[in-house]
Amino acid sequence: MAVHVIRVPDLGEGIAEVELVVWHVAAGDPVVEDQGLADVMTDKASVEIPSPVAGTVLALGGEVGQMLAVGSELIRIEVADEAGATAKPATPAAAAAPSAPVAAPSASVGAARTPSAAPATAPTPTTAPVPPPPAATPARSSASRPIASPAVRARAWELGIDLRDVTATGTAGRIVQADLDAHVARGGARAKPASSPRGTGTSDATHDIKIVGLRRRIAQKMQESKRRIPHYTYVEEVDVTEIEALRARLNEKWGAERGRLTLLTFLVRAVVLAAREFPMVNARFDDEAGVLTRHDAVHVGIATQTPAGLVVPVVRDAQANDLWSNAAEIARLADAARSGKAVRAELSGSTITITSLGKLGGIVTTPVINHPEVAIVGVNKIAARPVVKDGAVVVRQLMNLSSSFDHRVVDGADAAAFIQAVRRHVEQPAMLFVE
């Protein structure tokens, strides 16, 4: 027998340390080649470290949430046919593709966090086609620890499923989302515990949750933004009746052929046009160097809630695309972010961000600026309300824009004028197509 030492790999780009996000194995567990051992997170991406050998885990090199230096010992595995006692470190090529990407300090992660956002430990279940029950891989014994990604484990917890009861179809016995769907379809989800009968007393139980990985990155990003940026929030009511009617007509005529348009697509166009008039909002501010960089191109960040937390994929060069091109890109990026397949380039480099909670948008929000940007446009829900128009009381579709600006570099008057320009383009949809 020999001991194979796996070290924290060099993931490139000057990264000196990583955060240990989750262990997929424990001491004493058998492992097979290419089985995921742990997820580590840099300031750029979350990466799964696979095992290059088969054997038995002897010792783990750290605890979840701990920062590990590149080259330090990650795990020790006892192998039967290893010639040497120490193995070469895992390489970036051997690591799995990013499973829950986050951005660098300058990247678009965790912007516009609102109280209604769900914790990363309890994502909202999604609906997927139910595959036929697999027959190739038998269920694990209760003594072994199931292999699954953090997102799968979180969803299983939400559904009340013991992963040891799930039949795995993934590589090396890994449980994937489709396995959870199949398990639920077979009636495998456990019932939620019933509440205590009235009069039997109350519980004073507490639950400590360690904030690690993407959730910690989001927390750091929020803290940095609020600490460094004096936020100025401006709220304006917008009549979206005409643009909603236009959107319905375009979808009726072209939806099947070109794809359906959402209101967000029109707002991106309105922001692009308004930013031409007020270039100070389409910028990034390096406050340490004292340099404000204004951009001609408009790279719009779209705040997106995912099972792992809030990330901000970027629609690049939004000013160069038509409505349908931007709509398709927004949909593609949202899918990539929610499935954990978005890469670093898709999650960084935005120059202004739009955030929306859809039907949960409320009346007013106070969005947090996506540092180092200087502006974020918050979209609230649409509601039918009576208004006075041409001397008569009529029902119109109204929506508030709640937007925040970096008051160090964007004056209040300029912020207000920018939002008024967005409003003008939205309320007069023909203006969206006039260069």
Side-chain angles (χ1 to χ4, degrees):
M1 293 289 182
V3 175
H4 189 111
V5 178
I6 300 174
R7 300 186 180 279
V8 176
D10 182 354
L11 300 175
E13 301 191 29
I15 294 171
E17 63 179 7
V18 300
E19 179 186 358
L20 181 56
V21 177
V22 65
W23 282 112
H24 298 308
V25 296
D29 283 357
V31 296
V32 297
E33 189 173 347
D34 293 329
Q35 176 179 332
L37 300 174
D39 287 355
V40 298
M41 178 172 283
T42 71
D43 59 355
K44 306 180 190 301
S46 178
V47 178
E48 183 179 82
I49 307 300
S51 175
V53 297
T56 303
V57 176
L58 289 179
L60 307 181
E63 298 181 354
V64 170
Q66 184 176 342
M67 301 302 294
L68 301 177
V70 169
S72 63
E73 184 175 309
L74 178 67
I75 190 172
R76 286 176 173 257
I77 298 177
E78 185 180 57
V79 295
D81 55 353
E82 186 71 14
T86 303
K88 62 181 180 180
T91 63
S99 57
V102 297
S106 62
S108 302
V109 172
R113 168 59 60 189
T114 61
S116 61
T121 55
T124 302
T126 56
T127 302
V130 178
T137 307
R140 294 173 184 77
S141 68
S142 59
S144 63
R145 189 173 190 272
I147 306 169
S149 70
V152 170
R153 292 183 184 278
R155 186 178 172 216
W157 178 87
E158 175 69 14
L159 294 173
I161 294 174
D162 188 337
L163 288 177
R164 290 172 298 182
D165 299 333
V166 178
T167 301
T169 62
T171 304
R174 174 176 295 276
I175 297 173
V176 296
Q177 294 285 3
D179 298 332
L180 295 183
D181 295 329
H183 190 73
V184 170
R186 295 194 295 271
R190 292 199 302 262
K192 297 292 184 181
S195 57
S196 300
R198 189 174 298 179
T200 60
T202 59
S203 171
D204 192 27
T206 61
H207 306 276
D208 294 333
I209 301 173
K210 194 166 187 177
I211 303 301
V212 300
L214 181 57
R215 179 58 50 192
R216 181 157 77 176
R217 300 293 179 185
I218 292 172
Q220 293 171 341
K221 188 76 173 179
M222 293 297 96
Q223 178 175 305
E224 179 182 32
S225 181
K226 293 295 286 186
R227 179 177 64 84
R228 303 178 74 157
I229 301 176
H231 283 57
Y232 168 74
T233 299
Y234 181 82
V235 181
E236 181 57 275
E237 186 178 68
V238 180
D239 188 335
V240 296
T241 307
E242 300 300 331
I243 203 166
E244 280 290 87
L246 173 62
R247 185 173 72 87
R249 289 194 295 270
L250 291 175
N251 282 337
E252 181 180 2
K253 183 175 180 61
W254 300 106
E257 179 180 342
R258 301 184 182 181
R260 298 186 65 80
L261 301 172
T262 65
L263 179 60
L264 183 58
T265 309
F266 291 90
L267 288 172
V268 167
R269 179 63 178 168
V271 166
V272 164
L273 295 176
R276 293 179 184 176
E277 300 178 57
F278 302 94
M280 70 285 295
V281 304
N282 187 46
R284 296 165 69 91
F285 182 37
D286 184 343
D287 49 3
E288 293 184 350
V291 176
L292 177 70
T293 303
R294 293 182 178 178
H295 293 256
D296 292 334
V298 185
H299 306 307
V300 182
I302 306 295
T304 304
Q305 186 65 41
T306 75
L310 192 68
V311 298
V312 187
V314 183
V315 178
R316 299 193 179 279
D317 293 300
Q319 80 287 346
N321 303 326
D322 62 20
L323 290 175
W324 285 275
S325 296
N326 278 335
E329 182 67 355
I330 290 171
R332 184 191 71 81
L333 289 169
D335 287 343
R338 291 181 180 125
S339 64
K341 296 179 180 178
V343 298
R344 180 196 174 201
E346 296 171 327
L347 295 168
S348 61
S350 54
T351 56
I352 188 170
T353 292
I354 298 177
T355 179
S356 171
L357 287 173
K359 294 180 180 180
L360 299 176
I363 299 174
V364 174
T365 54
T366 54
V368 178
I369 295 170
N370 187 23
H371 179 271
E373 296 167 29
V374 301
I376 183 170
V377 178
V379 182
N380 297 115
K381 68 179 180 181
I382 299 174
R385 292 197 288 269
V387 299
V388 177
K389 185 175 179 64
D390 299 328
V393 177
V394 295
V395 176
R396 305 287 288 181
Q397 297 291 314
L398 301 180
M399 175 188 75
N400 287 344
L401 292 179
S402 301
S403 305
S404 297
F405 302 86
D406 187 336
H407 217 344
R408 297 172 298 179
V409 292
V410 180
D411 294 333
D414 290 330
F418 166 71
I419 294 300
Q420 290 299 329
V422 173
R423 176 188 179 185
R424 185 169 63 252
H425 289 299
V426 170
E427 293 188 339
Q428 303 174 37
M431 299 292 293
L432 295 173
F433 307 100
V434 177
E435 294 292 340

